[in-house]
Amino acid sequence: MTTPSFAASSEFANPQLEPLFTAEQIQTRIGELGQQITNDYAGRNPLLVGVLKGACIFASDLMRAIDLPIGLEFMAISSYGMSMRTSGEVRIVKDLDVGVEGRDILVVEDIVDTGLTLSYLLATLHQRGASSVRLAALLDKYERRERDVQIDYLGFQIPDAFVVGYGLDFAERYRNLPYIAVLKST
Ligand code: 5GP
């Protein structure tokens, strides 16, 4: 998902990066999550659903840490801006190429903030007849939660700050950083 409200902000006129998690910390945590997922889904064939664009790097690394036969699909979501805040409605910009009926779905998201995007997406996948829907999120900005979202596999909890790197952008920049940093203004 893109973040137009942040991108339009002049708050980050002179951006500075304050490292939060190193590449090594991220990979260690993903290894642990992969092990846990491998154990939990033993004997099954889950379908990973990455949420574009932010989760593309997390999904790529997480799937390599899972020792099971798994599938990978992506969805892209766009919010309706401020109206989403009240209605919780989001728009699917790119849908799945396969049906989810009877499948064990593991949604892979970069960060859960208000929870509006994920609560909509998880409900949609349930409605489509998935036999189970779980969520792996790299980051949890729990202080800002507006909708209850159960994160089954969590990388790290973070405070209310705007973060970039490891797939997360600011106006399409910084996605390629191997680490995660807080974006600050001087
Ligand atoms: P939610 O619906 O939970 O409020 O929104 C989640 C989406 O907002 C994430 O997938 C991400 O695209 C965006 N987002 C929320 N917080 C941050 C942040 O700190 N940094 C970046 N780059 N995106 C964020």
Side-chain angles (χ1 to χ4, degrees), residues 1 3 109-111 113-117 141 161-163 168-169:
M1 188 165 141
T3 52
E109 176 63 303
D110 51 1
I111 182 167
D113 185 17
T114 62
L116 290 169
T117 308
K141 220 192 267 185
F162 190 76
V163 293
L168 288 148
D169 77 311

Side-chain angles (χ1 to χ4, degrees), residues 75-89:
M75 288 179 90
I77 308 288
S78 152
S79 80
Y80 285 109
M82 280 313 287
S83 67
M84 174 184 152
R85 296 278 162 242
T86 46
S87 69
E89 281 277 315

Side-chain angles (χ1 to χ4, degrees), residues 54-127:
C56 65
I57 296 177
F58 177 42
S60 310
D61 282 346
L62 184 64
M63 81 177 297
R64 282 178 288 186
I66 300 171
D67 187 13
L68 291 172
I70 47 173
L72 178 66
E73 290 287 328
F74 286 102
M75 288 179 90
I77 308 288
S78 152
S79 80
Y80 285 109
M82 280 313 287
S83 67
M84 174 184 152
R85 296 278 162 242
T86 46
S87 69
E89 281 277 315
V90 301
R91 191 161 57 96
I92 296 173
V93 176
K94 184 219 172 297
D95 210 333
L96 297 171
D97 296 327
V98 296
V100 299
E101 212 174 323
R103 298 289 312 262
D104 291 309
I105 304 297
L106 180 59
V107 175
V108 182
E109 176 63 303
D110 51 1
I111 182 167
V112 185
D113 185 17
T114 62
L116 290 169
T117 308
L118 261 304
S119 62
Y120 176 85
L121 195 58
L122 298 174
T124 300
L125 293 168
H126 271 298
Q127 277 163 18

